[in-house]
Every structure is written in structure tokens, then in C-alpha cells.
Amino acid sequence: MRIGVDLGGTKTEIIVLSDAGEECFRTRKTTPRGNYSDIVDNIVELVSEAEKETNSQSSIGIGIPGSVSKHTGLIKGNANTTELIGHDLKGDVERMTGRPTRLANDANCFALSEATDGAAAGASVVFGIILGTGVGGGIVVNGEIIPGLNSIAGEWGHTPLPWANQNERPGPDCYCGQKGCIETFLSGPGLSKSHDPVGAKGPTAKEIAAMAALGDAAAIRTITTYERRLAKALAGIINVLDPDIIVCGGGLSNMDNLYTRVPELLQAYSFSGPLETKLVKAKYGDSSGVRGAAWLWPLD
């Protein structure tokens, strides 16, 4: 058995997988805020419940909204759940559960899940992207996460939008301190802002997609712009990494038109065509992150 924990800002989900990838148990609890110890206690309680329900003792993998310093083992300062910063989450969970534990960035867990037994199973080089409230990414090569020397490999959301038009420069402010990051254009809030630049309470990304499907001209223009920006951003990845397959997750990945329009647009921006790289929707959807955390312990 393998336990996977998806530690999110609002909820913490746990899953138990068999060697065959079968789901044996799953539940979730609200993620405590404001106190690191409460977050650890919550994880420990979930692990205890999972092991009791499955009558097993399992390895633990945890997907976190951040990364771990290779030098100190502590959570780095880029964690969205700020209570984790500077703490040894791996060591604390191991100490309190007595179970071997591994940590990885949540986007890396997503990519690992889809590369292991999801939409990218069998592919050698996989780039997993999350298009949601933020924009994240992870790289898996031959079944192994590539975290990078600084534990930031795959963070394409915080690179500039390639081939930006004049009206896209210098671009919106990003919380990372830069302007014009891909995340500011391709996230859900970025899509909403693109549709209604001055509206304080404009339509959400989901609402814009629904409006476009019903033939709303303004919404169609917004989605068309989004598709072209996504193609530019992914072409930059293809020109550097040249993955076999790109797997999309997050709320915006549910826009089915992306999987027909974006591959067509990619041809104009990639260095060499015709492209063989596939663009596909995640097999496990919102469950990919927690499944990938469990797969941090691969089969022997």
C-alpha cells in the first residue's frame, strides 16, 4: 500500500493505493491555517485513519504547494501555504507516524501521476501543466520527477509570455515581483482580467467559457486570445524540453476546445514542425495530485 497526501491551502486529501494503482481509501479534511503544528497533526490523523481503514502500514508521499531545500530539508520561502516555510515537514511526519515519508511539489505530483498510470503512461518525457488559480508545471522523465538543482524545474508560470504583442508588454504585475509572467495571462484570474480589464467583479473563467460556448462574441474573442497565448507559452516549453506529451490539469483544462485549437496554433511558434507532441487532458483530473503523491514511492 502507498499513502498519498495532497496538502492544499483549503483542504488536505489522503488516498491509499494498491500496487496496481487501485484506490483503497480516500478522504479529506479542512487544512488548518495559522499554525504549522496543527497542519502536521491533521496529516498524522489522516494517516492513522487511512491505515486503520485499510488495515495496513504504508509509506507516505506528500504533495505540497512549494518546494524543499536540498541543502536543509526545510520548506523554501516559495510555499503558498506560508505556515510550512522553514519547517522540516518530512522529518516531523516521519517522527510522528513512524512511516517513511517523501515530499514533492504538488505540480510535480500531478505530472508523476499522469506519467505513471494516467494520460501520459508509457511516455518518456512528460510535461504536466496546471491551469487554475495559478499556473504550475512539472517534468517527469522515464517515470522520475526532475526537480532541478533549485527545486524549481517546470515553473513555466513564472517566465515571460513569449512573443508578446505590444499591448501585452510589460504585462500585469505578478505576485512573484515580476511583470508579464505566463501565470498572469493563463490563470483563471488572468483569463477573467483579460475579458474585463477594469471590472472588479467580472465573469469567472468558467463563466466566460460557458458564454463562448453559447456564441457570445466577446467571450469567443477572449477564449481565442487565451488559446493563442497558451500556444505561445507551450511552444517555449517544446522548444527547450521537447516532451513526448503535455498533460493539462486544473479548472481551465476542462475547456475541450484547447485540445483541438492549441495544437494547430503550436505549429506557428515551435522551432520545427510538424509537431508530434500530444496535448491531452489529465486522466485523473483533480485526483492526480494526491495519486502522484502516493506514487512518490514507485514499484520495486
Side-chain angles (χ1 to χ4, degrees):
M1 298 288 188
R2 288 162 177 76
I3 285 178
V5 178
D6 183 11
L7 177 55
T10 58
K11 56 89 179 173
T12 301
E13 185 172 17
I14 192 167
I15 196 171
V16 180
L17 296 182
S18 70
D19 279 351
E22 297 169 336
E23 181 181 318
C24 303
F25 175 80
R26 182 205 296 259
T27 191
R28 63 173 62 180
K29 290 185 177 181
T30 300
T31 301
R33 297 310 304 263
N35 188 297
Y36 170 74
S37 296
D38 290 342
I39 292 175
V40 176
D41 289 343
N42 194 46
I43 293 172
V44 172
E45 290 171 6
L46 284 167
V47 169
S48 177
E49 181 181 353
E51 291 190 334
K52 181 179 179 180
E53 290 292 329
T54 57
N55 193 29
S56 65
Q57 294 183 351
S58 308
S59 60
I60 302 171
I62 305 176
I64 62 170
S67 56
V68 180
S69 169
K70 288 186 176 181
H71 301 291
T72 66
L74 306 181
I75 308 296
K76 297 175 71 173
N78 61 357
N80 289 342
T81 303
T82 55
E83 292 90 342
L84 301 176
I85 295 172
H87 289 284
D88 180 13
L89 181 62
K90 174 183 182 296
D92 291 335
V93 171
E94 284 186 331
R95 175 176 55 81
M96 295 182 68
T97 63
R99 307 285 180 263
T101 301
R102 293 178 177 174
L103 304 185
N105 174 265
D106 49 11
N108 289 341
C109 289
F110 164 80
L112 180 62
S113 169
E114 293 298 323
T116 301
D117 62 349
S124 296
V125 182
V126 178
F127 189 61
I129 67 172
I130 297 176
L131 302 172
T133 304
V135 171
I139 302 168
V140 173
V141 177
N142 295 326
E144 294 188 6
I145 292 172
I146 306 298
L149 179 64
N150 301 293
S151 300
I152 57 172
E155 290 290 358
W156 69 308
H158 294 286
T159 57
L161 180 70
W163 303 287
N165 297 330
Q166 187 62 39
N167 64 349
E168 294 170 329
R169 293 193 293 262
D173 291 330
C174 183
Y175 76 89
C176 74
Q178 303 297 332
K179 287 180 177 290
C181 288
I182 286 171
E183 179 168 303
T184 66
F185 293 105
L186 297 184
S187 64
L191 175 58
S192 181
K193 190 75 171 176
S194 174
H195 183 75
D196 187 6
V198 298
K201 294 184 178 180
T204 65
K206 185 176 181 179
E207 290 168 342
I208 295 167
M211 291 159 58
L214 293 173
D216 182 272
I220 290 173
R221 287 194 296 271
T222 298
I223 296 298
T224 299
T225 298
Y226 184 89
E227 292 165 349
R228 187 168 298 279
R229 287 169 173 171
L230 179 57
K232 290 178 178 181
L234 291 180
I237 293 296
I238 291 171
N239 287 348
V240 174
L241 185 63
D242 199 11
D244 297 273
I245 191 166
I246 298 171
V247 187
C248 300
L252 278 74
S253 71
N254 293 318
M255 295 191 295
D256 290 337
N257 54 291
L258 297 182
Y259 306 101
T260 54
R261 286 286 296 140
V262 173
E264 295 171 357
L265 294 167
L266 277 169
Q267 305 293 334
Y269 298 107
S270 61
F271 179 64
S272 178
L275 286 178
E276 296 182 40
T277 302
K278 296 179 180 178
L279 179 67
V280 299
K281 185 188 295 188
K283 177 179 178 178
Y284 292 110
D286 292 341
S287 297
S288 266
V290 71
R291 290 180 65 90
W295 287 127
L296 290 174
W297 295 90
L299 295 173
D300 294 331

